[in-house]
Amino acid sequence: MKDISKSINKVDNDEKISGSAKYIADFVMDGMLYAMTKRSTISKGEIVKIDYPQLPDGYYIINHKDVQGKNVIKVIFEDWPVFTDKKISYLYEPIMLVIGPDKNILTQLLDSIQITYKEETPLFDWTDSVIDYHFDKGKGNRIFDQADKVIEHTYHTGYQEQAYIEPQGFIGYPEGDKTTLIGSIQCPYYVKNAVKQAIGEKDENVRVIQSTVGGAFGGKEEYPSLIGCQLAVAVKKIKKPIKLIFEREEDMSVTTKRHPSKTVFKAAIKDRKIIGLKAHVSIDAGATIGLSGVVLSRALLAVSGAYTVDHLDVSGNVFRTNTVPNGAFRGFGAPQMFFAVDMFVEHVAKELNQDPLEFRKKMLVKQGDRTSTNGLFRDPVLMPEMIEKAIKESNYLKKIEDYSKKGNYKGIGMSLFYHGCGFTGSGEKDVIKAKVKLKKDKNKKVYILVAAVDMGQGVKTTFRKLISHMLDIDIKDVIYHNPDTDFVPDSGPTVASRTMMIVGGLLARAAKEMKKRWNEEEFIVMKEYEQPDYIEYDEKHFIGDAYPAYSWGVNIVEVEVDPVTYQVDLKKAWSVYDAGKAIDERVVLGQADGGLAQGLGYGYLEVMNHKNGKIMQKNMTDYIIPTAMDLCDMDTFLFDNPYAYGPYGAKGVGELTLIGGAPAIAKAIENAIGKNVFKIPVTPEYIMELINHD
Amino acid sequence: MKSYIAKNLVNALEVLNKDECEIVAGGTDMLIQNRSHTGMSIGYKTNVLYISLIKELDYIKEDSHYIYIGATTKLESILKNKITPIILKKIIHEMASPAIRHTATLIGNIANASPAGDSIVGLYALNAKVRCQCINGERIVPLHKFIRGVRIIDLKFNEMITEVIIPKNDFSSIAFKKVAPRKSDAISKMSFVGLLKIEDDLLLDLRIALGAVYITVVRNKDIESKYIGKNIKELKENIDNILKDYEPLIKPIDDQRSNKEYRKKVALNLIKDFLLNV
């Protein structure tokens, strides 16, 4: 049998290149209305009075009074109203939808709705803690009694915007008693379950269909549940097709972003070694808590990075502020922590006058080591070989020696990192409980029935390839439509680098059974998630195996800094990844290039901040993501390290590739300018400050 | 709101004489400034006059002293034309992506009068002038007098800019730096143009122009003339003095793209770097 990793063309190449793929903006229905959102103009306070204009015939206003179910979005922590009743907790909070056939009239109506507020002083400082976590490993804080030296540093990370190509959008329409939504989404069942709760309907009366998705990066994990609920409320009342699509500026001003963070690290040093770490992580949730607790967890779990430290004292807080709610973004807390910890370990090594690379290599996680929560790294860890490969390919040792001489403004940096694959903790077992179906029909066509979404990452290709490979049939005979909740079971959301490993793993089990029963004419195989029995996790106390498997990575980045303008020029990047086994090599390399580009952008380019609660970079002119001109050649090498429960050994890959970009480029810049970097993005403005202030 | 499409210059001037209009040439800034929701028409708040079909204003020509560029000439044509000053070519190449270069005009960049407009910085350094015409006549105004402030120009309601006039000059050293947040498709944080002419070790001409560090382009002929006539050694010895001269003129702001400390420091660094490399 041929190696599954050998690349094939992506199955959606033709429709995407030719432009025939149907995105949500392409859907038009008879009698379709448009919805626009009236938003708050203050960051905190209460609505005192609303003066409505006379509505022309065929125009509607939908607000909290129309919500027949529960006026709260179903996410991990339920504190996000479908429409606010009167309390305003962030700028541009949605108050109502204005709906009708003509957008010109809608914009006039939006302008003529007068809202009187009682304004309060908004909170932007991180003082209102809503989640507080703490756990220890080994001796915890007491290890500091044995320290002969303590080193402390603080690290900051900023907002990051997903910058998906296609903004948020849905079209909703009635089908008899049913309310149906088609949307640009990552998680059909998240939307469905949220809508059920908001409109108070039975399961069979809500249907959610995924349109072709033009990028998501986490931004379409929970946010679509909000506007999906708003639209469903409207469709149920008005009983006509309605389209709600954000313009770019609206999207960037109001949708969820990566949580800004602050991490304070203390290292207990004895005999020039780190014997223990104490870390405190603060993240800014914005106005609603939503899934911020899980983002914080993922950050805390990665507290010792790719290194094993026996004694840890780990704590963190989620702070609520009167700013736009923050949410899911590729990496989910890990990019913040890996930046902080990988910089910190490097800084400690430098302060101890030790070679940072040797210092880090000695601390690397090995198979059989304990995780931060006393789980086990059960599988082989190939990091030493991967580092060696990256060093050889990049000529790292020679370059770091040359570049460390003062005044040449060239630099090279290396990040070491991992990503826990799948949901954090017991999520898969207790919350998601994924189900998949595989159906064979009379014509020997096989249908993949799952809720996983192809948002550009290539799962339509890799799932079909997986099944055709396992059943030894032509990929043309494997059919995988965009998920429709009326036809596919809930295989869980398309998040957390779980799609191939978890959903693909279940499909592989189903295919195995199908192969045995292949002589049967027409049948369906269903599989449900079963947690590997060795996995046990105590979510409350942070004890045990937080993830079933880990993917690993090494990034090396080379830069040159312009001493006149302090601008950074990316020269080249080398990456080595262990994602178990690539189901399609080119698909994985696509993730590698895109993920690293996004991680590098996070590290040196992508500035986003708010001023009095207002996002300042609200369009693609002001929010700077790297273009092809900014990026460099990226060489990527994949190591096979099959995981027993992944199909053909596949682990997660989507998020892994973003995580190492920021610390690698930050270290390269450090090397180029001879100063330590403590925050990202490392902008020219920050580099100037570092160079000019001793 | 009315919109007019002019087929020729007379036609355009007649329209302007009877109706106040915003003039649209390439439209690459006007469309963004007046954007509305997808599927809606452009949200102009005034009457508009489209001039891009006026063929007679699509030209680059020269005589012994000047280069003339018409109002509907696209940036791409200017970039490709051999009579275009090299510094202007450098600027156009960096300031706009191919798609924009094939649509936008140089005069549109002047009329937009953004402090971050890159071509304006070069045109200030080149002592460019603009020709403004109305139904009753015309006038020629030096660019630095024509641009009065942020998006404020000295154009009467019945006038349009028909031409930019660039004096011909030779330089022995030219420099342009667009300091942008990334390498393409980005608005400048600040920009710099340096031009100078040296003959027999003597500085015969010196021009320094800075964009996005004040409400309009910063260029100061008094400072320049203080150092013209010096030899290279004297020029280099005077770099600190030159920086001191410019320092009070550089008054940038903080915005969503950068901060004033950075803009100021980099402006001074670029002047220094230009002079050091003479």
Side-chain angles (χ1 to χ4, degrees):
Chain A
M1 206 180 219
K2 66 173 194 276
D3 183 3
I4 193 162
S5 299
K6 194 170 178 299
S7 305
I8 59 166
N9 278 337
K10 273 177 95 180
V11 296
D12 50 0
N13 275 352
D14 287 353
E15 61 168 35
K16 284 186 173 164
I17 293 167
S18 67
S20 64
K22 231 175 160 187
Y23 294 89
I24 194 64
D26 299 321
F27 284 84
V28 178
M29 297 178 84
D30 285 344
M32 187 176 80
L33 307 177
Y34 296 98
M36 289 188 184
T37 312
K38 179 72 181 175
R39 303 180 176 284
S40 72
T41 52
I42 63 166
S43 293
K44 191 182 184 197
E46 273 189 10
I47 297 170
V48 177
K49 186 165 76 102
I50 303 182
D51 293 314
Y52 294 99
Q54 185 71 37
L55 285 180
D57 268 1
Y59 286 81
Y60 309 86
I61 280 176
I62 298 290
N63 62 21
H64 70 96
K65 289 181 198 140
D66 300 303
V67 180
Q68 289 175 18
K70 213 166 144 188
N71 186 16
V72 65
I73 304 301
K74 190 176 171 65
V75 278
I76 290 163
F77 191 93
E78 299 192 6
D79 62 344
W80 202 347
V82 180
F83 294 106
T84 181
D85 52 355
K86 58 180 183 186
K87 187 178 152 208
I88 301 296
S89 51
Y90 64 101
L91 185 68
Y92 305 139
E93 181 160 4
I95 297 167
M96 65 188 89
L97 292 183
V98 184
I99 294 166
D102 185 338
K103 284 186 182 175
N104 292 294
I105 295 173
L106 289 177
T107 50
Q108 287 163 21
L109 286 172
L110 277 180
D111 289 344
S112 54
I113 297 167
Q114 297 297 324
I115 302 181
T116 314
Y117 299 99
K118 193 175 93 191
E119 210 172 336
E120 293 164 45
T121 310
L123 177 67
F124 300 127
D125 294 336
W126 296 3
T127 52
D128 178 20
S129 170
V130 284
I131 291 176
D132 185 354
Y133 289 148
H134 176 256
F135 64 89
D136 285 337
K137 178 187 178 188
K139 293 182 180 158
N141 192 34
R142 281 169 300 147
I143 194 69
F144 281 79
D145 300 341
Q146 296 170 29
D148 47 41
K149 183 180 171 130
V150 175
I151 296 176
E152 177 176 341
H153 287 302
T154 302
Y155 300 87
H156 294 268
T157 66
Y159 277 124
Q160 189 178 20
E161 160 66 35
Q162 292 88 355
Y164 27 67
I165 307 97
E166 176 202 30
Q168 303 273 352
F170 275 102
I171 179 167
Y173 55 98
E175 289 184 285
D177 289 338
K178 201 180 279 190
T179 300
T180 300
L181 297 175
I182 308 177
S184 180
I185 55 178
Q186 279 176 255
C187 316
Y189 273 93
Y190 275 8
V191 178
K192 173 169 171 153
N193 293 333
V195 167
K196 267 164 61 182
Q197 173 170 306
I199 65 175
E201 269 295 352
K202 291 179 289 193
D203 194 69
E204 61 264 34
N205 284 344
V206 178
R207 177 181 180 191
V208 176
I209 305 165
Q210 175 230 322
S211 59
T212 306
V213 175
F217 309 106
K220 292 170 185 169
E221 176 171 341
E222 81 280 27
Y223 194 84
S225 296
L226 173 71
I227 56 174
C229 286
Q230 293 173 347
L231 192 62
V233 167
V235 168
K236 200 179 168 193
K237 185 172 177 193
I238 300 168
K239 304 216 177 303
K240 283 185 181 161
I242 308 171
K243 194 184 241 188
L244 173 61
I245 297 189
F246 284 176
E247 297 293 323
R248 180 65 67 180
E249 285 199 1
E250 181 177 26
D251 192 303
M252 289 184 71
S253 299
V254 308
T255 64
T256 48
K257 317 196 178 304
R258 192 185 299 289
H259 294 72
S261 77
K262 174 186 168 189
T263 301
V264 182
F265 260 117
K266 274 186 201 169
I269 307 295
K270 192 176 184 184
D271 302 330
R272 301 175 75 215
K273 284 192 199 113
I274 295 178
I275 54 168
L277 284 178
K278 185 180 166 91
H280 184 272
V281 182
S282 307
I283 63 170
D284 182 351
T288 61
I289 299 167
L291 38 70
S292 300
V294 192
V295 171
L296 179 64
S297 288
R298 211 182 244 281
L300 297 181
L301 292 166
V303 63
S304 50
Y307 314 106
T308 294
V309 178
D310 293 334
H311 307 284
L312 297 169
D313 174 344
V314 187
S315 59
N317 293 88
V318 172
F319 292 99
R320 192 163 50 191
T321 60
N322 293 112
T323 57
V324 60
N326 294 314
F329 195 149
R330 192 179 196 175
F332 212 80
Q336 290 95 320
M337 179 50 92
F338 275 95
F339 165 71
V341 66
D342 219 35
M343 298 311 284
F344 183 60
V345 173
E346 178 110 2
H347 292 162
V348 168
K350 282 188 197 168
E351 282 177 53
L352 297 174
N353 283 321
Q354 302 230 32
D355 177 73
L357 179 61
E358 291 307 314
F359 189 78
R360 292 159 74 200
K361 274 160 83 174
K362 278 183 210 146
M363 292 174 66
L364 275 178
V365 170
K366 296 181 299 298
Q367 183 176 21
D369 280 359
R370 291 281 169 192
T371 68
S372 60
T373 52
N374 275 307
L376 261 184
F377 287 106
R378 287 186 169 75
D379 298 317
V381 179
L382 309 182
M383 284 297 265
E385 296 91 319
M386 291 162 65
I387 293 170
E388 198 180 325
K389 174 77 177 165
I391 285 176
K392 188 168 152 262
E393 293 291 336
S394 62
N395 201 10
Y396 177 87
L397 295 177
K398 169 95 171 64
K399 282 177 182 166
I400 192 126
E401 197 189 325
D402 290 351
Y403 299 167
S404 299
K405 289 166 196 152
K406 224 178 147 77
N408 60 25
Y409 292 96
K410 287 180 181 166
I412 193 163
M414 181 196 294
S415 61
L416 308 175
F417 52 96
Y418 71 75
H419 196 68
C421 305
F423 259 79
T424 301
S426 328
E428 293 289 348
K429 183 173 61 124
D430 300 338
V431 186
I432 303 298
K433 301 171 186 159
K435 289 180 204 62
V436 309
K437 286 182 187 168
L438 209 52
K439 180 179 137 185
K440 184 189 169 218
D441 75 2
K442 282 182 291 222
N443 304 315
K444 295 187 177 165
K445 302 267 185 209
V446 175
Y447 293 81
I448 296 173
L449 301 175
V450 295
V453 165
D454 194 322
M455 45 202 166
Q457 88 280 39
V459 68
K460 273 194 160 176
T461 305
T462 50
F463 273 4
R464 282 176 61 186
K465 188 181 182 189
L466 173 70
I467 297 306
S468 80
H469 217 261
M470 291 199 67
L471 295 176
D472 203 11
I473 58 174
D474 194 314
I475 193 165
K476 288 195 190 72
D477 294 326
V478 183
I479 293 159
Y480 178 13
H481 293 302
N482 287 349
D484 174 338
T485 57
D486 269 14
F487 296 99
V488 301
D490 186 357
S491 63
T494 318
V495 304
S497 303
R498 66 184 287 280
T499 302
M500 184 50 73
M501 187 176 94
I502 304 280
V503 185
L506 290 172
L507 281 173
R509 277 173 50 207
K512 219 176 210 171
E513 184 179 327
M514 181 166 278
K515 191 159 177 129
K516 276 189 207 141
R517 297 167 54 190
W518 189 250
N519 292 332
E520 293 176 39
E521 197 182 3
E522 199 177 357
F523 64 104
I524 290 175
V525 181
M526 195 179 100
K527 291 287 168 201
E528 277 186 68
Y529 181 73
E530 290 163 25
Q531 186 123 300
D533 49 19
Y534 55 80
I535 295 290
E536 259 186 60
Y537 189 64
D538 174 348
E539 200 148 289
K540 198 161 165 234
H541 301 98
F542 289 82
I543 297 170
D545 287 296
Y547 302 100
Y550 301 85
S551 289
W552 299 85
V554 180
N555 288 154
I556 292 182
V557 173
E558 195 179 339
V559 301
E560 206 170 325
V561 174
D562 183 334
V564 177
T565 62
Y566 316 108
Q567 289 167 306
V568 173
D569 189 13
L570 269 173
K571 305 309 266 187
K572 187 152 182 177
W574 298 262
S575 304
V576 186
Y577 298 113
D578 156 18
K581 173 77 182 164
I583 296 305
D584 188 279
E585 196 178 272
R586 196 185 297 128
V587 163
V588 172
L589 293 179
Q591 291 295 303
D593 286 355
L596 184 58
Q598 205 162 26
L600 292 169
Y602 182 49
Y604 87 115
L605 223 46
E606 299 186 22
V607 177
M608 180 172 266
N609 39 45
H610 76 80
K611 194 170 172 186
N612 299 322
K614 183 178 179 179
I615 295 294
M616 299 306 290
Q617 296 77 10
K618 61 185 184 338
N619 54 43
M620 299 309 291
T621 305
D622 289 336
Y623 185 70
I624 300 295
I625 60 173
T627 64
M629 296 276 288
D630 298 284
L631 291 169
C632 55
D633 282 349
M634 301 177 182
D635 288 352
T636 303
F637 306 91
L638 304 178
F639 274 44
D640 282 355
N641 186 14
Y643 164 62
Y645 291 80
Y648 290 93
K651 300 187 282 193
V653 71
E655 294 170 283
L656 175 75
T657 56
L658 184 144
I659 292 168
I665 193 168
K667 287 180 193 197
I669 294 169
E670 278 193 355
N671 184 220
I673 65 174
K675 306 276 177 169
N676 282 353
V677 163
F678 296 99
K679 66 176 182 191
I680 48 168
V682 193
T683 60
E685 287 79 0
Y686 178 40
I687 293 173
M688 174 186 85
E689 234 177 272
L690 290 172
I691 289 181
N692 293 330
H693 295 86
D694 272 307
Chain B
M1 303 310 152
K2 279 180 279 185
S3 58
Y4 301 93
I5 300 174
K7 303 230 165 47
N8 55 49
L9 178 57
V10 173
N11 185 207
L13 297 178
E14 279 169 1
V15 170
L16 290 172
N17 204 48
K18 67 177 168 64
D19 218 347
E20 201 163 340
C21 292
E22 290 274 351
I23 300 169
V24 181
T28 54
D29 271 305
M30 289 289 283
L31 292 184
I32 290 167
Q33 285 161 22
N34 295 289
R35 64 188 174 280
S36 49
H37 283 258
T38 312
M40 283 169 66
S41 49
I42 308 159
Y44 289 123
K45 290 151 210 89
T46 56
N47 300 325
V48 289
L49 169 65
Y50 291 95
I51 62 162
S52 60
L53 294 181
I54 304 181
K55 288 237 165 57
E56 61 200 279
L57 294 178
D58 181 4
Y59 59 80
I60 305 171
K61 58 191 184 190
E62 63 180 331
D63 57 24
S64 49
H65 297 296
Y66 297 99
I67 293 162
Y68 305 88
I69 300 173
T72 60
T73 315
K74 311 288 188 212
L75 291 176
E76 183 70 14
S77 315
I78 303 172
L79 180 66
K80 292 283 157 66
N81 200 302
K82 64 178 195 305
I83 67 175
T84 304
I86 297 164
I87 187 73
L88 195 53
K89 287 191 177 194
K90 271 178 165 281
I91 295 170
I92 290 169
H93 184 76
E94 274 203 48
M95 74 183 267
S97 63
I100 297 289
R101 289 205 301 264
H102 280 85
T103 312
T105 64
L106 184 62
I107 289 183
N109 206 225
I110 295 174
N112 194 38
S114 158
D118 294 315
S119 75
I120 305 175
V121 186
L123 293 172
Y124 264 68
L126 289 166
N127 291 335
K129 293 176 253 192
V130 292
R131 185 190 303 273
C132 301
Q133 280 182 261
C134 68
I135 199 93
N136 305 314
E138 63 166 49
R139 61 196 175 104
I140 292 172
V141 195
L143 186 61
H144 69 276
K145 291 198 169 145
F146 182 72
I147 295 176
R148 295 281 184 81
V150 179
R151 300 189 184 281
I152 302 168
I153 53 173
D154 174 27
L155 191 72
K156 301 198 175 52
F157 75 91
N158 65 343
E159 283 182 322
M160 66 180 275
I161 315 168
T162 52
E163 185 175 79
V164 59
I165 305 168
I166 304 170
K168 286 182 168 177
N169 275 110
D170 288 331
F171 300 99
S172 37
S173 183
I174 64 170
F176 169 64
K177 180 71 191 177
K178 177 183 168 85
V179 183
R182 70 177 163 215
K183 289 184 184 169
S184 74
D185 283 331
I187 295 173
S188 298
K189 293 176 177 180
M190 63 96 30
S191 54
F192 166 85
V193 169
L195 305 173
L196 58 77
K197 186 173 185 178
I198 288 168
E199 240 174 62
D200 302 330
D201 197 38
L202 281 186
L203 184 65
L204 298 186
D205 196 358
L206 170 67
R207 304 179 189 188
I208 284 168
L210 300 159
V213 295
Y214 187 56
I215 51 173
T216 57
V217 171
V218 168
R219 182 167 171 215
N220 189 293
K221 290 188 184 170
D222 293 340
I223 301 175
E224 292 169 4
S225 53
K226 251 170 86 175
Y227 301 96
I228 290 173
K230 302 221 181 290
N231 65 32
I232 294 180
K233 185 165 170 279
E234 289 165 342
L235 179 68
K236 294 203 173 179
E237 283 166 0
N238 270 297
I239 286 177
D240 283 345
N241 292 327
I242 296 172
L243 296 182
K244 266 188 210 128
D245 288 341
Y246 278 102
E247 201 267 345
L249 305 180
I250 301 169
K251 293 180 222 168
I253 56 161
D254 291 334
D255 66 7
Q256 74 275 27
R257 282 188 279 277
S258 188
N259 62 44
K260 48 181 184 261
E261 293 78 15
Y262 176 80
R263 288 182 159 113
K264 182 157 195 159
K265 176 77 180 155
V266 170
L268 293 169
N269 284 357
L270 285 165
I271 297 173
K272 186 175 174 182
D273 190 56
F274 175 61
L275 297 174
L276 274 176
N277 286 311
V278 167

